[in-house]
Amino acid sequence: MPVIDAARADAIQVIETLQQRYTPGVKEPDSEFSKEFFKKMTAGIGLPDNFEAEYQSNLLDVKKRMFSRYENPTWFMLVSQFSERIEKALDKQAPDKKRKKILFGTLHTGRINGVAIGTKNPEYYVILLESGLFGFANLLAKGVAQAFPQGEKKSDGSFSISTKMDKVKQNIQADDDIATRLVDLVMAYIVAGDPHAARPYLPKKEYVALISIWRDAMEYFVLAHEYGHAVSGHLEASPATATSEGNEIPSSWKEEFEADYVGLVTTLNILMEDRLSPSLTYAGVEAFFLGLELIERALAVFQGREIREHGTASHPPAMMRREAMRHWLRQGLPEQESKSAIQLADIFQEVIELIWPRLEATLREGQRRGAQIHPMWTNY
């Protein structure tokens, strides 16, 4: 057997071993699982009637390319597309740099991010993402986007959004559903352990394109950040600590900042290929960190503890990471473009702050009624 085949099989074994460890009793998804997941993912989107049939047909091809037997084929289909674009972008950014190949999968960990894993494998690294992360990003983008009131309608039927904070506040106050849906999302994730346990709803069709832009920015950034660990040399496991099951390499704050930089540049470059300006897309990147902070605050209420504002031994606080990215943005973009991007990101944060009092009250009422956080968050 060629060495590359053995190396690939070893990397796949790492993924499957970790999936079995974090989700006891995990099994290969069957066709019914795929159908149910499809319904959750597409509820409230308004897809054409023939979309599900085409989707099921595409699954046959996807299953042939999947790495782990236990992977969700719908998720794999999506991340494969993201991964291909990220790798092409990295080739352009560093055309002469050789790197190992990446295999990816999911874990049900409650960590709301990804983890890049180093092993003694000569050909591959492994990237694993929290299984609910993309769903959380999608529903967070849906909720935040609709907080922005519509501006003037253009001749092609599209419209601008108002970024004036007084207008945003008025819109949130006038439309109770905006706060309700974000509260429902956080409660679903921390109590049920699944963001898709939130009640599905159709976004206003005028907002669909905007939601997609901010959702994609979040998802590209998370995956590109983990690629950043790989291309920056953070995953070279020491022979004294590496095992056949793989070791999560402890990441220093310096390494996290380096991976954030790669993730930010790669994400903005990919979206600029789609003719999307960083003045619009950057806020989606910061939304990921706002989501981290939102979950941390919610868990602190449920667990009766202080909010962790100083980060951990391996990860800087989200606020510090956002400030670093703003610094890079100011360095890399024209002044007005970076200023516009940061202003929009600030409004994202204010939207969350406006909704927080209601979320906190809902959390405390849930506690009073006996609600408990999902076991996956126990060691968060």
Side-chain angles (χ1 to χ4, degrees), residues 75 105-115 128-134 189 193 195 376-377:
W75 180 90
T106 56
L107 287 180
H108 199 55
T109 65
R111 296 180 63 170
I112 326 182
N113 62 35
V115 57
L128 297 169
L129 300 179
E130 157 60 30
S131 58
L133 195 152
F134 276 26
Y189 205 4
M376 76 174 189
W377 300 107

Side-chain angles (χ1 to χ4, degrees), residues 187-204:
M187 290 294 290
Y189 205 4
I190 68 172
V191 175
D194 182 359
H196 291 114
R199 286 166 290 183
Y201 66 94
L202 272 171
K204 296 174 183 176

Side-chain angles (χ1 to χ4, degrees), residues 57-344:
S57 176
N58 289 336
L59 277 185
L60 298 176
D61 175 61
V62 169
K63 288 179 179 178
K64 295 176 184 176
R65 297 186 287 112
M66 279 172 48
F67 304 138
S68 167
R69 291 171 295 167
Y70 308 125
E71 201 53 75
N72 178 329
T74 302
W75 180 90
F76 186 87
M77 185 189 306
L78 173 64
V79 178
S80 293
Q81 296 169 355
F82 278 60
S83 179
E84 288 173 8
R85 294 197 70 183
I86 288 171
E87 292 186 6
K88 288 178 181 177
L90 290 172
D91 287 340
K92 290 180 181 179
Q93 291 161 207
D96 299 325
K97 189 168 185 176
K98 294 183 179 180
R99 60 178 186 273
K100 291 183 182 180
K101 301 178 184 70
I102 302 288
L103 299 187
F104 46 82
T106 56
L107 287 180
H108 199 55
T109 65
R111 296 180 63 170
I112 326 182
N113 62 35
V115 57
I117 296 177
T119 72
K120 291 188 292 186
N121 193 306
E123 300 287 343
Y124 291 92
Y125 290 132
V126 167
I127 289 176
L128 297 169
L129 300 179
E130 157 60 30
S131 58
L133 195 152
F134 276 26
F136 181 74
N138 178 44
L139 294 173
L140 181 61
K142 282 173 71 174
V144 173
Q146 293 180 96
F148 291 84
Q150 296 181 27
E152 295 182 3
K153 193 169 185 178
K154 300 177 182 178
S155 58
D156 62 358
S158 63
F159 68 96
S160 62
I161 57 170
S162 174
T163 56
K164 293 182 179 180
M165 201 57 223
D166 60 336
K167 299 289 187 184
V168 174
K169 288 180 180 178
Q170 290 173 12
N171 193 43
I172 293 173
Q173 292 168 353
D175 187 351
D176 190 59
D177 284 345
I178 295 170
T180 298
R181 286 160 181 164
L182 286 171
V183 169
D184 192 35
L185 166 61
V186 174
M187 290 294 290
Y189 205 4
I190 68 172
V191 175
D194 182 359
H196 291 114
R199 286 166 290 183
Y201 66 94
L202 272 171
K204 296 174 183 176
K205 63 180 181 180
E206 295 87 355
Y207 285 92
V208 170
L210 190 61
I211 291 167
S212 297
I213 291 168
W214 288 336
R215 178 199 62 222
D216 287 355
M218 276 190 270
E219 294 173 349
Y220 271 120
F221 174 77
V222 172
L223 189 54
H225 168 94
E226 299 306 333
Y227 267 88
H229 282 302
V231 301
S232 301
H234 301 161
L235 305 182
E236 294 305 318
S238 164
T241 59
T243 71
S244 60
E245 293 184 351
N247 296 289
E248 180 181 340
I249 306 303
S251 300
S252 69
W253 285 21
K254 178 176 179 291
E255 289 175 346
E256 289 303 314
F257 285 127
E258 289 174 349
D260 280 347
Y261 179 78
V262 174
L264 175 65
V265 172
T266 304
T267 297
L268 296 184
N269 282 342
I270 288 172
L271 295 175
M272 281 192 285
E273 289 178 358
D274 297 334
R275 298 183 179 182
L276 296 171
S277 168
S279 61
L280 176 62
T281 60
Y282 172 73
V285 175
E286 277 210 18
F288 167 68
F289 293 103
L290 292 174
L292 284 178
E293 291 175 330
L294 188 60
I295 292 296
E296 162 60 21
R297 292 167 73 176
L299 288 172
V301 170
F302 251 85
Q303 295 169 336
R305 59 171 174 80
E306 294 295 318
I307 297 170
R308 301 187 187 111
E309 296 180 343
H310 305 294
T312 65
S314 62
H315 285 73
M319 182 180 296
M320 187 180 293
R321 294 170 73 179
R322 294 199 335 257
E323 285 303 319
M325 290 197 296
R326 291 181 176 205
H327 171 71
W328 300 325
L329 205 67
R330 293 185 186 101
Q331 287 187 321
L333 293 179
E335 181 179 358
Q336 188 54 49
E337 190 170 15
S338 64
K339 184 178 179 180
S340 297
I342 291 169
Q343 286 176 339
L344 184 57

